[in-house]
């Protein structure tokens, strides 16, 4: 090879290319055998060529790694965007859940208030005196343990009336404290009819 064309190549590579050229185009048979320096330069050139091939292979692998890193970076960015979207959705859901919880707490308070008012209304209706009837003259203790059953059975017999449907009482009880001796006047029975 002419020297002018290979001036930019390193010296070792020049030697290696000249050695290859000589092997491909051997000179006449009367050329002298290569010297020891030429052989070591050839071996050194071969090892340098091998190193250059290795470096080139490593460069190709690094390009593949660089491509993979670029793809990984893009995927990481998209995952960050998705996570940011999820965080905003979760934040919105937190606000909605807080609003629902406050409404449920208000509703629970309202429900408790309604239950209290219903019980109070029922109590007021039950204590209304317009449906109460007072019965006098029944001996103390004649009703036994169930005063409602006693009145349900006894009143139709005393009035000589058959009630259809039968009488319904909401409650019945005797007024006042229990008499200690049987000589005192018996307590009246108050019954609330439905």
């Amino acid at each position: 090879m002419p020297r002018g064309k290979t001036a930019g190549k390193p010296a070792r590579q020049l030697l290696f290319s000249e050695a290859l050229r000589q092997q491909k185009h051997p000179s006449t048979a009367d050329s002298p055998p290569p010297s020891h320096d030429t052989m070591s330069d050839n071996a050194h050139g071969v090892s340098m060529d091998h190193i250059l091939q290795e470096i080139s292979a490593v460069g190709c692998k690094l390009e593949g790694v660089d491509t993979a890193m670029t793809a990984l970076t893009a995927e990481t960015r998209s995952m960050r965007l998705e996570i940011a979207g999820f965080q905003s959705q979760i934040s919105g859901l937190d606000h909605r859940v807080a609003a629902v919880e406050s409404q449920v707490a208000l509703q629970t308070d309202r429900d408790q208030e309604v239950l209290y008012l219903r019980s109070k209304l029922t109590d007021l209706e039950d204590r209304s005196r317009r449906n109460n009837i007072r019965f006098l003259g029944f001996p103390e203790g004649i009703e036994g343990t169930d005063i409602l059953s006693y009145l349900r059975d006894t009143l139709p017999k005393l009035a000589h009336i058959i009630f259809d449907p039968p009488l319904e009482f909401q409650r019945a009880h005797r007024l006042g404290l229990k008499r200690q001796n049987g000589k005192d006047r018996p307590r009246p029975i108050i019954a609330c009819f439905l």
Side-chain angles (χ1 to χ4, degrees):
M1 282 186 148
R3 289 275 183 195
K5 290 187 179 177
T6 59
K9 291 187 177 179
R12 290 184 183 155
Q13 196 171 1
L14 284 175
L15 290 174
F16 177 70
S17 33
E18 285 179 12
L20 282 177
R21 186 171 47 91
Q22 288 175 359
Q23 287 176 359
K24 287 181 183 177
H25 307 290
S27 59
T28 58
D30 57 341
S31 63
S35 66
H36 180 66
D37 291 336
T38 307
M39 289 178 70
S40 71
D41 284 344
N42 284 343
H44 191 63
V46 170
S47 66
M48 284 303 288
D49 188 45
H50 181 67
I51 290 173
L52 288 173
Q53 288 177 353
E54 293 279 332
I55 290 173
S56 176
V58 169
C60 290
K61 288 180 182 177
L62 286 176
E63 284 178 7
V65 169
D66 188 38
T67 306
M69 286 298 290
T70 305
L72 187 62
T73 303
E75 189 175 343
T76 304
R77 283 185 188 146
S78 68
M79 288 175 69
R80 283 183 185 170
L81 291 174
E82 287 180 16
I83 288 172
F86 290 147
Q87 286 176 340
S88 65
Q89 287 178 357
I90 288 171
S91 176
L93 288 174
D94 282 344
H95 292 304
R96 291 174 64 185
V97 166
V100 168
E101 284 177 346
S102 64
Q103 289 177 356
V104 166
L106 287 173
Q107 187 65 35
T108 303
D109 292 342
R110 288 181 190 151
D111 289 346
Q112 289 177 352
E113 186 178 1
V114 166
L115 286 174
Y116 171 72
L117 291 174
R118 279 183 183 169
S119 67
K120 193 169 184 180
L121 179 64
T122 303
D123 188 50
L124 288 173
E125 287 175 348
D126 289 348
R127 292 182 184 276
S128 174
R129 295 184 180 185
R130 64 185 171 186
N131 293 332
N132 288 351
I133 296 181
R134 181 183 289 201
F135 297 100
L136 302 173
F138 287 98
E140 193 81 28
I142 196 169
E143 70 274 7
T145 57
D146 189 5
I147 194 168
L148 292 175
S149 297
Y150 175 74
L151 289 175
R152 198 174 294 119
D153 295 338
T154 306
L155 289 178
K157 291 177 187 173
L158 291 175
H160 302 290
I161 299 173
I162 298 173
F163 294 99
D164 187 28
L167 291 175
E168 289 187 43
F169 299 94
Q170 189 163 7
R171 68 170 173 262
H173 60 88
R174 288 201 182 255
L175 285 179
L177 297 173
K178 188 173 184 178
R179 310 286 187 213
Q180 294 300 329
N181 70 41
K183 295 179 182 177
D184 293 337
R185 191 172 62 181
R187 295 175 296 161
I189 296 175
I190 287 197
C192 178
F193 288 86
L194 289 176

